[in-house]
Amino acid sequence: QVQLQESGPGLVKPSGTLSLTCAVSGGSISSTNWWNWVRQPPGKGLEWIGEIFHSGSANYNSSLKSRVTISIDKSKNQFSLRLTSMIAADTAVYYCVKKGGGGSPFDSWGQGTLVTVSS
Amino acid sequence: DIQMTQAPSSLSASVGDRVTITCRASQTIYNYLNWYQQKPGRAPKVLIYGASSLQSGVPSRFTGSASGTDFTLTISSLQPEDFATYYCQQSYTTPFTFGPGTILDIK
């Protein structure tokens, strides 16, 4: 059973950059899975941010594409999210999520980490 | 982007009730439709994938069905632990998109 754990700062200043890392345990990040980030503003719905495969191939939500980068570190079995030019609307719980190939669902989720954008 | 809508946005029901939540996609997604349950302070959990396949470990009172771009989640007999928010999500193409959610609470 793959487990995921997010880590990173809980507070980011406006115009700053968010960096989060997701540690994967119980399985290899080099498997045939896609590694995703999903976020949820307080009291609101879910938004897919993007995904990466172990090859480094990545897909991003066009709404964030100019600000987001997802990277992977196979040696550490982890992947990361970088989101630049943070604004208050980026305040959310950020989840790292595993998804199988093709049309698979998001089947394993981290516990989530709340990131607040505030000065 | 594919837009997902859900109805109702909220629903009050009693233990033992049969409830149905609907989801509609703005274009064909074939059966690449998944249902999630989320409880306060917790990550979502997949219940149904591929429109009608039950995720391992999920009780059989949860069923999913599809008709074109319309999808339904049915809970046959509500249990106390089923009161939560439910989201549909399309996994047909990126950007993957979620419905706005249906809050199921106790009547």
Side-chain angles (χ1 to χ4, degrees), chain A residues 38 40 44-46 48 51 61-62 95 99 102-107 109-110, chain B residues 1 32 34 36 38 42-44 46 49 55 87 89 91 94-96 98 100:
Chain A
V38 173
Q40 184 172 37
K44 295 188 178 180
L46 299 158
W48 177 75
E51 65 177 357
N61 194 324
S62 54
Y95 294 101
K99 176 186 171 299
S104 299
F106 298 121
D107 60 7
W109 296 65
Chain B
D1 298 1
Y32 293 109
N34 311 301
Y36 300 85
Q38 186 179 32
R42 303 291 298 274
V46 61
Y49 65 94
Q55 180 74 353
Y87 295 95
Q89 175 250 334
S91 52
T94 60
F96 302 123
F98 293 86

PDB file of all heavy atoms in Angstrom, chain A residues 38 40 44-46 48 51 61-62 95 99 102-107 109-110, chain B residues 1 32 34 36 38 42-44 46 49 55 87 89 91 94-96 98 100:
ATOM      1  N   VAL A  38      -3.143  18.071  -6.086  1.00  0.00           N
ATOM      2  CA  VAL A  38      -4.530  18.565  -6.096  1.00  0.00           C
ATOM      3  C   VAL A  38      -4.652  19.529  -4.916  1.00  0.00           C
ATOM      4  O   VAL A  38      -4.085  19.276  -3.853  1.00  0.00           O
ATOM      5  CB  VAL A  38      -5.534  17.400  -5.938  1.00  0.00           C
ATOM      6  CG1 VAL A  38      -6.954  17.921  -5.764  1.00  0.00           C
ATOM      7  CG2 VAL A  38      -5.449  16.446  -7.140  1.00  0.00           C
ATOM      8  N   GLN A  40      -7.288  22.327  -2.495  1.00  0.00           N
ATOM      9  CA  GLN A  40      -8.656  22.592  -2.059  1.00  0.00           C
ATOM     10  C   GLN A  40      -8.664  23.825  -1.167  1.00  0.00           C
ATOM     11  O   GLN A  40      -8.236  23.752  -0.009  1.00  0.00           O
ATOM     12  CB  GLN A  40      -9.219  21.383  -1.310  1.00  0.00           C
ATOM     13  CG  GLN A  40     -10.669  21.527  -0.902  1.00  0.00           C
ATOM     14  CD  GLN A  40     -11.231  20.237  -0.331  1.00  0.00           C
ATOM     15  OE1 GLN A  40     -10.542  19.485   0.372  1.00  0.00           O
ATOM     16  NE2 GLN A  40     -12.476  19.964  -0.652  1.00  0.00           N
ATOM     17  N   LYS A  44     -14.027  24.928   0.020  1.00  0.00           N
ATOM     18  CA  LYS A  44     -14.371  24.881  -1.417  1.00  0.00           C
ATOM     19  C   LYS A  44     -14.048  23.511  -2.009  1.00  0.00           C
ATOM     20  O   LYS A  44     -13.720  22.562  -1.293  1.00  0.00           O
ATOM     21  CB  LYS A  44     -13.631  25.990  -2.150  1.00  0.00           C
ATOM     22  CG  LYS A  44     -14.066  27.392  -1.707  1.00  0.00           C
ATOM     23  CD  LYS A  44     -13.466  28.467  -2.571  1.00  0.00           C
ATOM     24  CE  LYS A  44     -13.962  29.852  -2.142  1.00  0.00           C
ATOM     25  NZ  LYS A  44     -13.393  30.930  -2.986  1.00  0.00           N
ATOM     26  N   GLY A  45     -14.160  23.426  -3.326  1.00  0.00           N
ATOM     27  CA  GLY A  45     -13.974  22.162  -4.018  1.00  0.00           C
ATOM     28  C   GLY A  45     -12.526  21.876  -4.383  1.00  0.00           C
ATOM     29  O   GLY A  45     -11.596  22.582  -3.988  1.00  0.00           O
ATOM     30  N   LEU A  46     -12.359  20.805  -5.153  1.00  0.00           N
ATOM     31  CA  LEU A  46     -11.040  20.269  -5.486  1.00  0.00           C
ATOM     32  C   LEU A  46     -10.586  20.756  -6.859  1.00  0.00           C
ATOM     33  O   LEU A  46     -11.375  20.811  -7.806  1.00  0.00           O
ATOM     34  CB  LEU A  46     -11.102  18.744  -5.485  1.00  0.00           C
ATOM     35  CG  LEU A  46     -11.478  18.128  -4.141  1.00  0.00           C
ATOM     36  CD1 LEU A  46     -12.048  16.724  -4.321  1.00  0.00           C
ATOM     37  CD2 LEU A  46     -10.243  18.076  -3.228  1.00  0.00           C
ATOM     38  N   TRP A  48      -7.390  20.164  -9.673  1.00  0.00           N
ATOM     39  CA  TRP A  48      -6.177  19.440 -10.099  1.00  0.00           C
ATOM     40  C   TRP A  48      -5.128  20.453 -10.552  1.00  0.00           C
ATOM     41  O   TRP A  48      -5.420  21.349 -11.340  1.00  0.00           O
ATOM     42  CB  TRP A  48      -6.537  18.488 -11.233  1.00  0.00           C
ATOM     43  CG  TRP A  48      -5.388  17.746 -11.808  1.00  0.00           C
ATOM     44  CD1 TRP A  48      -4.720  16.681 -11.247  1.00  0.00           C
ATOM     45  CD2 TRP A  48      -4.761  17.970 -13.067  1.00  0.00           C
ATOM     46  NE1 TRP A  48      -3.726  16.246 -12.090  1.00  0.00           N
ATOM     47  CE2 TRP A  48      -3.726  17.023 -13.216  1.00  0.00           C
ATOM     48  CE3 TRP A  48      -4.967  18.892 -14.106  1.00  0.00           C
ATOM     49  CZ2 TRP A  48      -2.910  16.965 -14.346  1.00  0.00           C
ATOM     50  CZ3 TRP A  48      -4.161  18.842 -15.224  1.00  0.00           C
ATOM     51  CH2 TRP A  48      -3.139  17.882 -15.333  1.00  0.00           C
ATOM     52  N   GLU A  51       0.501  16.787 -12.917  1.00  0.00           N
ATOM     53  CA  GLU A  51       1.007  15.436 -12.703  1.00  0.00           C
ATOM     54  C   GLU A  51       2.349  15.246 -13.368  1.00  0.00           C
ATOM     55  O   GLU A  51       2.704  15.985 -14.303  1.00  0.00           O
ATOM     56  CB  GLU A  51       0.013  14.405 -13.254  1.00  0.00           C
ATOM     57  CG  GLU A  51      -0.160  14.478 -14.757  1.00  0.00           C
ATOM     58  CD  GLU A  51      -1.089  13.414 -15.331  1.00  0.00           C
ATOM     59  OE1 GLU A  51      -1.579  12.538 -14.566  1.00  0.00           O
ATOM     60  OE2 GLU A  51      -1.317  13.454 -16.555  1.00  0.00           O
ATOM     61  N   ASN A  61      -2.403  21.973 -15.222  1.00  0.00           N
ATOM     62  CA  ASN A  61      -3.649  22.681 -15.436  1.00  0.00           C
ATOM     63  C   ASN A  61      -3.311  24.021 -16.101  1.00  0.00           C
ATOM     64  O   ASN A  61      -2.487  24.775 -15.595  1.00  0.00           O
ATOM     65  CB  ASN A  61      -4.361  22.905 -14.100  1.00  0.00           C
ATOM     66  CG  ASN A  61      -5.804  23.334 -14.280  1.00  0.00           C
ATOM     67  OD1 ASN A  61      -6.135  24.069 -15.208  1.00  0.00           O
ATOM     68  ND2 ASN A  61      -6.660  22.881 -13.386  1.00  0.00           N
ATOM     69  N   SER A  62      -3.982  24.287 -17.204  1.00  0.00           N
ATOM     70  CA  SER A  62      -3.684  25.509 -17.953  1.00  0.00           C
ATOM     71  C   SER A  62      -3.933  26.763 -17.132  1.00  0.00           C
ATOM     72  O   SER A  62      -3.330  27.802 -17.370  1.00  0.00           O
ATOM     73  CB  SER A  62      -4.500  25.556 -19.241  1.00  0.00           C
ATOM     74  OG  SER A  62      -5.885  25.402 -18.951  1.00  0.00           O
ATOM     75  N   TYR A  95      -2.744  18.571  -1.656  1.00  0.00           N
ATOM     76  CA  TYR A  95      -2.624  17.127  -1.521  1.00  0.00           C
ATOM     77  C   TYR A  95      -1.686  16.591  -2.607  1.00  0.00           C
ATOM     78  O   TYR A  95      -1.783  17.009  -3.775  1.00  0.00           O
ATOM     79  CB  TYR A  95      -3.968  16.435  -1.726  1.00  0.00           C
ATOM     80  CG  TYR A  95      -5.029  16.721  -0.692  1.00  0.00           C
ATOM     81  CD1 TYR A  95      -6.047  17.641  -0.952  1.00  0.00           C
ATOM     82  CD2 TYR A  95      -5.062  16.038   0.519  1.00  0.00           C
ATOM     83  CE1 TYR A  95      -7.057  17.890  -0.021  1.00  0.00           C
ATOM     84  CE2 TYR A  95      -6.061  16.277   1.456  1.00  0.00           C
ATOM     85  CZ  TYR A  95      -7.040  17.202   1.174  1.00  0.00           C
ATOM     86  OH  TYR A  95      -8.042  17.434   2.101  1.00  0.00           O
ATOM     87  N   LYS A  99      -1.999   8.299  -9.021  1.00  0.00           N
ATOM     88  CA  LYS A  99      -2.986   7.892 -10.022  1.00  0.00           C
ATOM     89  C   LYS A  99      -2.333   6.867 -10.938  1.00  0.00           C
ATOM     90  O   LYS A  99      -1.192   7.010 -11.333  1.00  0.00           O
ATOM     91  CB  LYS A  99      -3.432   9.115 -10.830  1.00  0.00           C
ATOM     92  CG  LYS A  99      -4.397   8.807 -11.960  1.00  0.00           C
ATOM     93  CD  LYS A  99      -4.637  10.068 -12.765  1.00  0.00           C
ATOM     94  CE  LYS A  99      -5.404   9.780 -14.037  1.00  0.00           C
ATOM     95  NZ  LYS A  99      -4.678   8.858 -14.913  1.00  0.00           N
ATOM     96  N   GLY A 102      -3.604   5.647 -17.768  1.00  0.00           N
ATOM     97  CA  GLY A 102      -4.877   5.710 -18.467  1.00  0.00           C
ATOM     98  C   GLY A 102      -5.902   6.515 -17.696  1.00  0.00           C
ATOM     99  O   GLY A 102      -5.589   7.546 -17.139  1.00  0.00           O
ATOM    100  N   GLY A 103      -7.138   6.026 -17.669  1.00  0.00           N
ATOM    101  CA  GLY A 103      -8.211   6.752 -17.003  1.00  0.00           C
ATOM    102  C   GLY A 103      -8.407   6.381 -15.565  1.00  0.00           C
ATOM    103  O   GLY A 103      -9.514   6.542 -15.029  1.00  0.00           O
ATOM    104  N   SER A 104      -7.357   5.961 -14.906  1.00  0.00           N
ATOM    105  CA  SER A 104      -7.470   5.531 -13.503  1.00  0.00           C
ATOM    106  C   SER A 104      -7.874   6.674 -12.583  1.00  0.00           C
ATOM    107  O   SER A 104      -7.623   7.841 -12.906  1.00  0.00           O
ATOM    108  CB  SER A 104      -6.130   4.963 -13.034  1.00  0.00           C
ATOM    109  OG  SER A 104      -5.756   3.853 -13.797  1.00  0.00           O
ATOM    110  N   PRO A 105      -8.433   6.348 -11.435  1.00  0.00           N
ATOM    111  CA  PRO A 105      -8.798   7.392 -10.464  1.00  0.00           C
ATOM    112  C   PRO A 105      -7.587   7.786  -9.625  1.00  0.00           C
ATOM    113  O   PRO A 105      -6.526   7.164  -9.696  1.00  0.00           O
ATOM    114  CB  PRO A 105      -9.841   6.695  -9.600  1.00  0.00           C
ATOM    115  CG  PRO A 105      -9.405   5.265  -9.593  1.00  0.00           C
ATOM    116  CD  PRO A 105      -8.864   5.018 -10.980  1.00  0.00           C
ATOM    117  N   PHE A 106      -7.766   8.818  -8.833  1.00  0.00           N
ATOM    118  CA  PHE A 106      -6.789   9.203  -7.817  1.00  0.00           C
ATOM    119  C   PHE A 106      -7.000   8.238  -6.641  1.00  0.00           C
ATOM    120  O   PHE A 106      -7.942   8.404  -5.879  1.00  0.00           O
ATOM    121  CB  PHE A 106      -7.008  10.648  -7.373  1.00  0.00           C
ATOM    122  CG  PHE A 106      -6.843  11.665  -8.470  1.00  0.00           C
ATOM    123  CD1 PHE A 106      -7.882  12.508  -8.821  1.00  0.00           C
ATOM    124  CD2 PHE A 106      -5.639  11.793  -9.135  1.00  0.00           C
ATOM    125  CE1 PHE A 106      -7.737  13.456  -9.826  1.00  0.00           C
ATOM    126  CE2 PHE A 106      -5.471  12.741 -10.143  1.00  0.00           C
ATOM    127  CZ  PHE A 106      -6.526  13.574 -10.492  1.00  0.00           C
ATOM    128  N   ASP A 107      -6.117   7.259  -6.501  1.00  0.00           N
ATOM    129  CA  ASP A 107      -6.422   6.190  -5.573  1.00  0.00           C
ATOM    130  C   ASP A 107      -5.657   6.209  -4.257  1.00  0.00           C
ATOM    131  O   ASP A 107      -5.984   5.461  -3.342  1.00  0.00           O
ATOM    132  CB  ASP A 107      -6.277   4.826  -6.253  1.00  0.00           C
ATOM    133  CG  ASP A 107      -4.874   4.588  -6.783  1.00  0.00           C
ATOM    134  OD1 ASP A 107      -3.974   5.400  -6.522  1.00  0.00           O
ATOM    135  OD2 ASP A 107      -4.686   3.568  -7.491  1.00  0.00           O
ATOM    136  N   TRP A 109      -3.995   9.162  -1.505  1.00  0.00           N
ATOM    137  CA  TRP A 109      -3.851  10.587  -1.204  1.00  0.00           C
ATOM    138  C   TRP A 109      -2.969  10.782   0.027  1.00  0.00           C
ATOM    139  O   TRP A 109      -3.053  10.002   0.982  1.00  0.00           O
ATOM    140  CB  TRP A 109      -5.214  11.210  -0.911  1.00  0.00           C
ATOM    141  CG  TRP A 109      -6.180  11.206  -2.056  1.00  0.00           C
ATOM    142  CD1 TRP A 109      -6.743  10.127  -2.665  1.00  0.00           C
ATOM    143  CD2 TRP A 109      -6.720  12.366  -2.717  1.00  0.00           C
ATOM    144  NE1 TRP A 109      -7.602  10.528  -3.654  1.00  0.00           N
ATOM    145  CE2 TRP A 109      -7.612  11.903  -3.712  1.00  0.00           C
ATOM    146  CE3 TRP A 109      -6.554  13.745  -2.554  1.00  0.00           C
ATOM    147  CZ2 TRP A 109      -8.317  12.774  -4.559  1.00  0.00           C
ATOM    148  CZ3 TRP A 109      -7.265  14.613  -3.375  1.00  0.00           C
ATOM    149  CH2 TRP A 109      -8.132  14.124  -4.367  1.00  0.00           C
ATOM    150  N   GLY A 110      -2.171  11.830   0.018  1.00  0.00           N
ATOM    151  CA  GLY A 110      -1.524  12.258   1.238  1.00  0.00           C
ATOM    152  C   GLY A 110      -2.566  12.865   2.161  1.00  0.00           C
ATOM    153  O   GLY A 110      -3.725  13.069   1.789  1.00  0.00           O
TER     154      GLY A 110
ATOM    155  N   ASP B   1     -11.687  22.870 -21.510  1.00  0.00           N
ATOM    156  CA  ASP B   1     -11.724  21.987 -20.361  1.00  0.00           C
ATOM    157  C   ASP B   1     -13.120  21.366 -20.213  1.00  0.00           C
ATOM    158  O   ASP B   1     -14.128  21.981 -20.556  1.00  0.00           O
ATOM    159  CB  ASP B   1     -11.395  22.758 -19.070  1.00  0.00           C
ATOM    160  CG  ASP B   1      -9.995  23.365 -19.067  1.00  0.00           C
ATOM    161  OD1 ASP B   1      -9.278  23.193 -20.081  1.00  0.00           O
ATOM    162  OD2 ASP B   1      -9.639  24.009 -18.065  1.00  0.00           O
ATOM    163  N   TYR B  32     -14.998   7.309 -18.042  1.00  0.00           N
ATOM    164  CA  TYR B  32     -13.889   7.713 -17.185  1.00  0.00           C
ATOM    165  C   TYR B  32     -14.371   8.682 -16.102  1.00  0.00           C
ATOM    166  O   TYR B  32     -13.981   9.861 -16.076  1.00  0.00           O
ATOM    167  CB  TYR B  32     -12.770   8.325 -18.017  1.00  0.00           C
ATOM    168  CG  TYR B  32     -12.113   7.309 -18.929  1.00  0.00           C
ATOM    169  CD1 TYR B  32     -12.306   7.354 -20.302  1.00  0.00           C
ATOM    170  CD2 TYR B  32     -11.291   6.311 -18.412  1.00  0.00           C
ATOM    171  CE1 TYR B  32     -11.706   6.418 -21.138  1.00  0.00           C
ATOM    172  CE2 TYR B  32     -10.692   5.375 -19.235  1.00  0.00           C
ATOM    173  CZ  TYR B  32     -10.908   5.440 -20.606  1.00  0.00           C
ATOM    174  OH  TYR B  32     -10.306   4.511 -21.425  1.00  0.00           O
ATOM    175  N   ASN B  34     -15.195   9.048 -11.910  1.00  0.00           N
ATOM    176  CA  ASN B  34     -14.898   8.512 -10.590  1.00  0.00           C
ATOM    177  C   ASN B  34     -15.673   9.285  -9.528  1.00  0.00           C
ATOM    178  O   ASN B  34     -15.968  10.468  -9.718  1.00  0.00           O
ATOM    179  CB  ASN B  34     -13.391   8.633 -10.321  1.00  0.00           C
ATOM    180  CG  ASN B  34     -12.567   8.098 -11.474  1.00  0.00           C
ATOM    181  OD1 ASN B  34     -12.688   6.933 -11.847  1.00  0.00           O
ATOM    182  ND2 ASN B  34     -11.730   8.957 -12.057  1.00  0.00           N
ATOM    183  N   TYR B  36     -15.798  10.241  -5.329  1.00  0.00           N
ATOM    184  CA  TYR B  36     -15.015  10.321  -4.107  1.00  0.00           C
ATOM    185  C   TYR B  36     -15.905  10.753  -2.954  1.00  0.00           C
ATOM    186  O   TYR B  36     -16.869  11.517  -3.127  1.00  0.00           O
ATOM    187  CB  TYR B  36     -13.879  11.356  -4.251  1.00  0.00           C
ATOM    188  CG  TYR B  36     -12.909  11.025  -5.359  1.00  0.00           C
ATOM    189  CD1 TYR B  36     -13.171  11.411  -6.675  1.00  0.00           C
ATOM    190  CD2 TYR B  36     -11.739  10.320  -5.108  1.00  0.00           C
ATOM    191  CE1 TYR B  36     -12.298  11.104  -7.694  1.00  0.00           C
ATOM    192  CE2 TYR B  36     -10.848  10.011  -6.128  1.00  0.00           C
ATOM    193  CZ  TYR B  36     -11.153  10.404  -7.424  1.00  0.00           C
ATOM    194  OH  TYR B  36     -10.282  10.089  -8.442  1.00  0.00           O
ATOM    195  N   GLN B  38     -15.534  12.626   0.833  1.00  0.00           N
ATOM    196  CA  GLN B  38     -14.614  13.381   1.673  1.00  0.00           C
ATOM    197  C   GLN B  38     -15.311  13.765   2.974  1.00  0.00           C
ATOM    198  O   GLN B  38     -16.399  14.347   2.956  1.00  0.00           O
ATOM    199  CB  GLN B  38     -14.103  14.645   0.967  1.00  0.00           C
ATOM    200  CG  GLN B  38     -13.039  15.375   1.776  1.00  0.00           C
ATOM    201  CD  GLN B  38     -12.501  16.612   1.094  1.00  0.00           C
ATOM    202  OE1 GLN B  38     -13.205  17.297   0.361  1.00  0.00           O
ATOM    203  NE2 GLN B  38     -11.223  16.904   1.320  1.00  0.00           N
ATOM    204  N   ARG B  42     -10.312  15.532   6.197  1.00  0.00           N
ATOM    205  CA  ARG B  42      -9.700  14.326   5.644  1.00  0.00           C
ATOM    206  C   ARG B  42      -9.524  14.462   4.140  1.00  0.00           C
ATOM    207  O   ARG B  42     -10.207  15.238   3.474  1.00  0.00           O
ATOM    208  CB  ARG B  42     -10.580  13.098   5.935  1.00  0.00           C
ATOM    209  CG  ARG B  42     -10.875  12.869   7.393  1.00  0.00           C
ATOM    210  CD  ARG B  42      -9.635  12.450   8.183  1.00  0.00           C
ATOM    211  NE  ARG B  42      -9.077  11.181   7.715  1.00  0.00           N
ATOM    212  CZ  ARG B  42      -9.486  10.006   8.148  1.00  0.00           C
ATOM    213  NH1 ARG B  42     -10.453   9.911   9.054  1.00  0.00           N
ATOM    214  NH2 ARG B  42      -8.905   8.909   7.692  1.00  0.00           N
ATOM    215  N   ALA B  43      -8.618  13.678   3.591  1.00  0.00           N
ATOM    216  CA  ALA B  43      -8.453  13.622   2.143  1.00  0.00           C
ATOM    217  C   ALA B  43      -9.613  12.856   1.519  1.00  0.00           C
ATOM    218  O   ALA B  43     -10.218  11.999   2.168  1.00  0.00           O
ATOM    219  CB  ALA B  43      -7.139  12.928   1.797  1.00  0.00           C
ATOM    220  N   PRO B  44      -9.927  13.163   0.280  1.00  0.00           N
ATOM    221  CA  PRO B  44     -10.955  12.378  -0.423  1.00  0.00           C
ATOM    222  C   PRO B  44     -10.545  10.911  -0.539  1.00  0.00           C
ATOM    223  O   PRO B  44      -9.358  10.574  -0.521  1.00  0.00           O
ATOM    224  CB  PRO B  44     -11.020  13.037  -1.800  1.00  0.00           C
ATOM    225  CG  PRO B  44     -10.527  14.426  -1.575  1.00  0.00           C
ATOM    226  CD  PRO B  44      -9.457  14.281  -0.532  1.00  0.00           C
ATOM    227  N   VAL B  46     -11.545   7.394  -2.919  1.00  0.00           N
ATOM    228  CA  VAL B  46     -12.270   6.942  -4.099  1.00  0.00           C
ATOM    229  C   VAL B  46     -13.231   5.824  -3.718  1.00  0.00           C
ATOM    230  O   VAL B  46     -12.878   4.891  -3.006  1.00  0.00           O
ATOM    231  CB  VAL B  46     -11.319   6.517  -5.237  1.00  0.00           C
ATOM    232  CG1 VAL B  46     -10.414   5.364  -4.842  1.00  0.00           C
ATOM    233  CG2 VAL B  46     -12.093   6.191  -6.509  1.00  0.00           C
ATOM    234  N   TYR B  49     -14.876   3.843  -9.540  1.00  0.00           N
ATOM    235  CA  TYR B  49     -14.061   4.264 -10.668  1.00  0.00           C
ATOM    236  C   TYR B  49     -14.616   3.658 -11.936  1.00  0.00           C
ATOM    237  O   TYR B  49     -15.341   2.656 -11.886  1.00  0.00           O
ATOM    238  CB  TYR B  49     -12.590   3.909 -10.464  1.00  0.00           C
ATOM    239  CG  TYR B  49     -12.318   2.419 -10.412  1.00  0.00           C
ATOM    240  CD1 TYR B  49     -11.943   1.715 -11.559  1.00  0.00           C
ATOM    241  CD2 TYR B  49     -12.455   1.696  -9.218  1.00  0.00           C
ATOM    242  CE1 TYR B  49     -11.720   0.347 -11.508  1.00  0.00           C
ATOM    243  CE2 TYR B  49     -12.226   0.346  -9.163  1.00  0.00           C
ATOM    244  CZ  TYR B  49     -11.861  -0.330 -10.320  1.00  0.00           C
ATOM    245  OH  TYR B  49     -11.638  -1.685 -10.271  1.00  0.00           O
ATOM    246  N   GLN B  55     -14.419   0.417  -5.799  1.00  0.00           N
ATOM    247  CA  GLN B  55     -13.041   0.352  -5.319  1.00  0.00           C
ATOM    248  C   GLN B  55     -12.949  -0.696  -4.211  1.00  0.00           C
ATOM    249  O   GLN B  55     -13.873  -0.866  -3.403  1.00  0.00           O
ATOM    250  CB  GLN B  55     -12.606   1.726  -4.795  1.00  0.00           C
ATOM    251  CG  GLN B  55     -11.196   1.812  -4.252  1.00  0.00           C
ATOM    252  CD  GLN B  55     -10.117   1.795  -5.307  1.00  0.00           C
ATOM    253  OE1 GLN B  55     -10.391   1.590  -6.496  1.00  0.00           O
ATOM    254  NE2 GLN B  55      -8.877   2.038  -4.906  1.00  0.00           N
ATOM    255  N   TYR B  87     -17.841  13.963  -4.422  1.00  0.00           N
ATOM    256  CA  TYR B  87     -17.381  14.622  -5.649  1.00  0.00           C
ATOM    257  C   TYR B  87     -17.296  13.623  -6.783  1.00  0.00           C
ATOM    258  O   TYR B  87     -16.845  12.486  -6.587  1.00  0.00           O
ATOM    259  CB  TYR B  87     -15.972  15.206  -5.459  1.00  0.00           C
ATOM    260  CG  TYR B  87     -15.865  16.326  -4.460  1.00  0.00           C
ATOM    261  CD1 TYR B  87     -15.510  16.082  -3.141  1.00  0.00           C
ATOM    262  CD2 TYR B  87     -16.094  17.650  -4.836  1.00  0.00           C
ATOM    263  CE1 TYR B  87     -15.396  17.112  -2.213  1.00  0.00           C
ATOM    264  CE2 TYR B  87     -15.979  18.697  -3.928  1.00  0.00           C
ATOM    265  CZ  TYR B  87     -15.642  18.407  -2.620  1.00  0.00           C
ATOM    266  OH  TYR B  87     -15.527  19.435  -1.711  1.00  0.00           O
ATOM    267  N   GLN B  89     -15.492  13.126 -10.642  1.00  0.00           N
ATOM    268  CA  GLN B  89     -14.265  13.597 -11.301  1.00  0.00           C
ATOM    269  C   GLN B  89     -14.071  12.845 -12.596  1.00  0.00           C
ATOM    270  O   GLN B  89     -14.248  11.627 -12.643  1.00  0.00           O
ATOM    271  CB  GLN B  89     -13.052  13.370 -10.393  1.00  0.00           C
ATOM    272  CG  GLN B  89     -11.703  13.710 -10.984  1.00  0.00           C
ATOM    273  CD  GLN B  89     -10.849  12.478 -11.268  1.00  0.00           C
ATOM    274  OE1 GLN B  89     -10.993  11.431 -10.652  1.00  0.00           O
ATOM    275  NE2 GLN B  89      -9.937  12.586 -12.216  1.00  0.00           N
ATOM    276  N   SER B  91     -11.597  11.427 -15.462  1.00  0.00           N
ATOM    277  CA  SER B  91     -10.198  11.081 -15.678  1.00  0.00           C
ATOM    278  C   SER B  91      -9.964  10.744 -17.146  1.00  0.00           C
ATOM    279  O   SER B  91      -9.037  10.008 -17.495  1.00  0.00           O
ATOM    280  CB  SER B  91      -9.794   9.902 -14.782  1.00  0.00           C
ATOM    281  OG  SER B  91     -10.691   8.823 -14.923  1.00  0.00           O
ATOM    282  N   THR B  94      -6.722  15.451 -19.465  1.00  0.00           N
ATOM    283  CA  THR B  94      -6.276  16.599 -18.677  1.00  0.00           C
ATOM    284  C   THR B  94      -6.804  17.886 -19.297  1.00  0.00           C
ATOM    285  O   THR B  94      -6.981  17.959 -20.527  1.00  0.00           O
ATOM    286  CB  THR B  94      -4.734  16.665 -18.607  1.00  0.00           C
ATOM    287  OG1 THR B  94      -4.212  16.782 -19.936  1.00  0.00           O
ATOM    288  CG2 THR B  94      -4.169  15.418 -17.946  1.00  0.00           C
ATOM    289  N   PRO B  95      -7.085  18.896 -18.487  1.00  0.00           N
ATOM    290  CA  PRO B  95      -6.987  18.888 -17.026  1.00  0.00           C
ATOM    291  C   PRO B  95      -8.101  18.052 -16.400  1.00  0.00           C
ATOM    292  O   PRO B  95      -9.284  18.202 -16.764  1.00  0.00           O
ATOM    293  CB  PRO B  95      -7.133  20.366 -16.666  1.00  0.00           C
ATOM    294  CG  PRO B  95      -7.995  20.931 -17.751  1.00  0.00           C
ATOM    295  CD  PRO B  95      -7.581  20.197 -18.997  1.00  0.00           C
ATOM    296  N   PHE B  96      -7.706  17.182 -15.484  1.00  0.00           N
ATOM    297  CA  PHE B  96      -8.720  16.410 -14.776  1.00  0.00           C
ATOM    298  C   PHE B  96      -9.580  17.389 -13.980  1.00  0.00           C
ATOM    299  O   PHE B  96      -9.053  18.305 -13.346  1.00  0.00           O
ATOM    300  CB  PHE B  96      -8.055  15.398 -13.859  1.00  0.00           C
ATOM    301  CG  PHE B  96      -7.142  14.454 -14.588  1.00  0.00           C
ATOM    302  CD1 PHE B  96      -5.796  14.347 -14.235  1.00  0.00           C
ATOM    303  CD2 PHE B  96      -7.598  13.679 -15.639  1.00  0.00           C
ATOM    304  CE1 PHE B  96      -4.943  13.480 -14.912  1.00  0.00           C
ATOM    305  CE2 PHE B  96      -6.751  12.818 -16.327  1.00  0.00           C
ATOM    306  CZ  PHE B  96      -5.428  12.719 -15.969  1.00  0.00           C
ATOM    307  N   PHE B  98     -13.131  18.166 -11.401  1.00  0.00           N
ATOM    308  CA  PHE B  98     -14.057  17.664 -10.404  1.00  0.00           C
ATOM    309  C   PHE B  98     -15.389  18.406 -10.488  1.00  0.00           C
ATOM    310  O   PHE B  98     -15.436  19.576 -10.897  1.00  0.00           O
ATOM    311  CB  PHE B  98     -13.490  17.902  -8.997  1.00  0.00           C
ATOM    312  CG  PHE B  98     -12.252  17.102  -8.662  1.00  0.00           C
ATOM    313  CD1 PHE B  98     -10.998  17.575  -9.016  1.00  0.00           C
ATOM    314  CD2 PHE B  98     -12.351  15.899  -7.987  1.00  0.00           C
ATOM    315  CE1 PHE B  98      -9.855  16.853  -8.701  1.00  0.00           C
ATOM    316  CE2 PHE B  98     -11.214  15.168  -7.658  1.00  0.00           C
ATOM    317  CZ  PHE B  98      -9.960  15.642  -8.026  1.00  0.00           C
ATOM    318  N   PRO B 100     -18.538  20.165  -8.375  1.00  0.00           N
ATOM    319  CA  PRO B 100     -18.496  21.096  -7.240  1.00  0.00           C
ATOM    320  C   PRO B 100     -18.792  20.451  -5.893  1.00  0.00           C
ATOM    321  O   PRO B 100     -18.590  21.078  -4.853  1.00  0.00           O
ATOM    322  CB  PRO B 100     -19.557  22.130  -7.591  1.00  0.00           C
ATOM    323  CG  PRO B 100     -20.511  21.399  -8.476  1.00  0.00           C
ATOM    324  CD  PRO B 100     -19.675  20.422  -9.261  1.00  0.00           C
TER     325      PRO B 100
END
